[in-house]
Amino acid sequence: MVSRITPEREAELHGAVLDLLREVGYEALTMDAVATRTKSSKATLYRQWGSKPELVARALRCSQPVSLREIDTGTLRGDFAVMVEHSDDDQMAKDTALMRGLAHAVHESPELHKALRELLVEPEINGIQVMLQRAVDRGEMAPDCPAVKFVPHMLIGAFISLPLIEDRPVDRDFLTDFIEAVVFPALGV
């Protein structure tokens, strides 16, 4: 089905969904509230996105600054530097808090878990895998490096652990330090 919603209107709808999520949480978010906030019909929302879980997952996906798959500087260090450079400290703080809130909802809603996995998590993991495979192909990393399969876990772990351990959100400086001190040594880069 071809969307009749303009990219600008879609971005506006996604922004409203994320704002509502931050305000009321996933459980209290309703399609009625999104329709009211965005001055659209509930039927339009369902026609376009099908369900609340898919709308939430797509809104989160569209808030990502750049697709990791598209980053290719010619070196793994350069690729990670661009990934961090495209990160926004304020947005990461908002997204980290939002993801913490969604962590509980994922356990209660298999549909949300599936939508987040398909639309947000898997594309990011695939993008990282593409970056890492290019590094192997260029000879920057050993093809049998056992840490390769754990890079997504390391990065996700950093986002979860920093607020828990130090009571502060992830920012570019932390990400840069973490990648240099943990990820690159694990990969032998």
Side-chain angles (χ1 to χ4, degrees):
M1 177 172 84
V2 176
S3 173
R4 289 184 273 165
I5 297 176
T6 66
E8 295 79 15
R9 178 68 170 143
E10 187 172 17
E12 178 186 333
L13 288 163
H14 288 154
V17 168
L18 296 178
D19 288 344
L20 279 166
L21 271 174
R22 289 182 190 101
E23 291 168 23
V24 302
Y26 180 78
E27 291 83 4
L29 177 77
T30 65
M31 294 297 251
D32 283 323
V34 174
T36 300
R37 174 76 57 101
T38 60
K39 296 176 177 58
S40 59
S41 75
K42 198 163 74 166
T44 297
L45 298 175
Y46 278 109
R47 192 172 40 253
Q48 186 71 26
W49 288 283
S51 67
K52 178 174 108 172
E54 186 169 334
L55 175 58
V56 167
R58 288 206 181 272
L60 286 164
R61 177 79 211 140
C62 290
S63 72
Q64 300 301 309
V66 66
S67 168
L68 297 181
R69 185 179 282 277
E70 296 170 8
I71 299 172
D72 185 3
T73 65
T75 68
L76 186 62
R77 283 186 180 279
D79 292 351
F80 272 86
V82 168
M83 179 182 72
V84 171
E85 178 183 307
H86 279 94
S87 301
D88 176 277
D89 288 347
D90 292 335
Q91 191 63 45
M92 280 192 290
K94 288 179 189 176
D95 289 348
T96 299
L98 191 57
M99 293 309 284
R100 270 198 321 258
L102 285 174
H104 174 72
V106 163
H107 294 291
E108 302 295 320
S109 171
E111 297 84 14
L112 176 62
H113 182 250
K114 181 178 185 273
L116 288 175
R117 180 127 188 93
E118 289 175 1
L119 297 170
L120 191 64
V121 175
E122 288 175 3
E124 293 299 305
I125 290 173
N126 290 338
I128 290 170
Q129 289 171 337
V130 166
M131 272 186 197
L132 296 171
Q133 185 58 52
R134 282 193 308 253
V136 168
D137 294 346
R138 289 187 300 253
E140 293 176 87
M141 290 174 21
D144 60 347
C145 176
V148 167
K149 67 182 179 180
F150 297 110
V151 172
H153 302 81
M154 287 186 260
L155 295 172
I156 291 169
F159 276 88
I160 293 169
S161 64
L162 185 65
L164 183 65
I165 294 170
E166 297 184 27
D167 196 26
R168 67 183 181 102
V170 172
D171 58 24
R172 283 191 216 164
D173 290 339
F174 174 80
L175 267 182
T176 299
D177 292 346
F178 181 83
I179 291 166
E180 284 292 333
V182 178
V183 178
F184 288 155
L187 296 173
V189 175

